[in-house]
Each structure stands twice: as C-alpha cells, then as structure tokens.
Amino acid sequence: MKINGNEIRPGNVIEHQGGLWAAVKVNAVKPGKGGAYAQVELKNLIDGRKMNERFRASETVERVRLEQKDHTYLYAEGDMLVFMDTENYEQINIPKDMIGDRAAFLQDGMSVIVEIHEERPIGVQLPEHVTLEVVETEPTVKGQTASSSYKPAKADNGLRIMIPPYMTVGEKIIVNTETLEYVKRAD
C-alpha cells in the first residue's frame, strides 16, 4: 500500500532502500522557505541499523503490513529459540539475537506474537510485563522506608534490576519487558 511521505506514523513499517524499516520517531517540519517534510527516524527490522530520512509530502513510500501470529515459547536450542504456532502447532526457530536482551524474559509456555513478512519471521512481541523472583539483593536495613533510592538485585532469569530498598530475596516482582525496569511487587 503506497502512502505519502507526510502520512508516516511511529510504528509504521515501510519498504525503503531495499529493506524493511520501522518508523521510530516522526517529526513534521514546516520551514519558512520550501515545502514541508517529515523527518523520520527509521530502524531496520532485519539488522537493527538506524537512520534518519526526510520524506516530502509529494514522495510516496510502500507501507508494509506484517502478519501477526500467536505463538508459544517452547525452549532455547543453542543460539536459536523455538516457538510453536498456537493454531497449527508448527514449530519455528528464531535467532536469539533478533530479540536481544529481552530473550531473558522468555519463560516456558509464554504466549508471544511473532511478526511475519513474506513467510519470514522478523520480530517477536513479548508481553508488556513479566513476573520474576528476586534471587540476590542486599539485606533490608531496618527503618528504611520506600524512598526514591533503589538497590541493585538479581532476578531468577539473571537480569540485574533496581528494586525498592525494603524488598528481600524470594519476593516476586513485575518487570516491564520494554524498559527492563521494576514496575511493582507481584500479588
């Protein structure tokens, strides 16, 4: 589907310079002289490169629709992660580096969304929040309140995270998978 350069929005996936790019940030610029344009920060979906590009309203770009399918995470096998399609039970292997640091959040049986373009997986969306257990942290100091100072801790998936000072080993916490930050104590 062709769209004008000024219609690009964050999250859109476009075909540009022979690759698939996701629009990360879009800034509409209206200079005093000349025509308006959109300054777009793009991220390559295949290799992760970033670039800034200008698109004028008169230019057209090809917007790509990604197929999103529900999958279940099964296990890691070397550098590959194995997922199963929840509809037809077919298994697919996705390289661990496609997910990056967030691969540590994957838990057996976790539901994820795999983005597919032309029968090829190009991305994995994890749930926004996951529950982890604190396995290592400094002891709680009596009288310490829930102030804005956080202390380092290690979660059961190996992730290092900052948690409130009153929390102890064995407590369950909820962590944001995008920002890799503590959200709240799990119920």
Side-chain angles (χ1 to χ4, degrees):
M1 180 173 95
K2 293 246 184 230
I3 60 171
N4 290 338
N6 62 345
E7 293 173 353
I8 298 171
R9 300 286 172 259
N12 286 164
V13 177
I14 62 169
E15 213 169 287
H16 184 62
Q17 295 180 352
L20 287 178
W21 298 82
V24 181
K25 291 181 187 168
V26 179
N27 189 13
V29 180
K30 295 177 181 144
K33 273 186 169 174
Y37 60 89
Q39 184 72 35
V40 184
E41 184 181 316
L42 298 169
K43 182 179 181 201
N44 190 304
L45 292 177
I46 308 302
D47 59 23
R49 285 180 298 146
K50 284 191 174 183
M51 77 171 185
N52 284 307
E53 195 71 49
R54 278 184 183 180
F55 293 100
R56 300 207 174 278
S58 57
E59 293 178 65
T60 59
V61 291
E62 187 68 34
R63 183 167 172 206
V64 178
R65 292 240 183 244
L66 298 178
E67 184 182 353
Q68 295 187 328
K69 293 182 103 180
D70 291 330
H71 281 70
T72 302
Y73 172 69
L74 297 178
Y75 56 90
E77 189 173 17
D79 288 343
M80 300 300 271
L81 301 170
V82 182
F83 295 89
M84 179 182 67
D85 191 323
T86 56
E87 286 177 21
N88 59 17
Y89 305 110
E90 285 181 17
Q91 293 183 7
I92 60 167
N93 293 344
I94 296 177
K96 208 178 258 183
D97 59 0
M98 184 182 285
I99 301 173
D101 296 341
R102 298 179 314 136
F105 289 115
L106 289 169
Q107 299 165 352
D108 292 347
M110 178 183 274
S111 294
V112 298
I113 295 171
V114 176
E115 294 177 325
I116 299 170
H117 179 256
E118 295 176 355
E119 304 299 317
R120 183 173 156 211
I122 60 165
V124 176
Q125 286 182 11
L126 299 178
E128 189 178 350
H129 298 113
V130 294
T131 303
L132 301 173
E133 185 178 334
V134 177
V135 293
E136 185 183 299
T137 188
E138 297 165 2
T140 303
V141 178
K142 192 173 171 106
Q144 207 167 17
T145 58
S147 66
S148 62
S149 64
Y150 280 57
K151 65 181 181 181
K154 186 176 180 182
D156 56 357
N157 67 351
L159 183 74
R160 295 231 168 255
I161 191 161
M162 299 300 282
I163 61 171
Y166 56 84
M167 300 194 83
T168 59
V169 171
E171 287 198 66
K172 300 241 185 256
I173 58 172
I174 294 176
V175 178
N176 184 314
T177 58
E178 288 293 316
T179 61
L180 310 177
E181 292 175 346
Y182 167 85
V183 177
K184 64 180 182 178
R185 178 186 271 168
D187 298 331

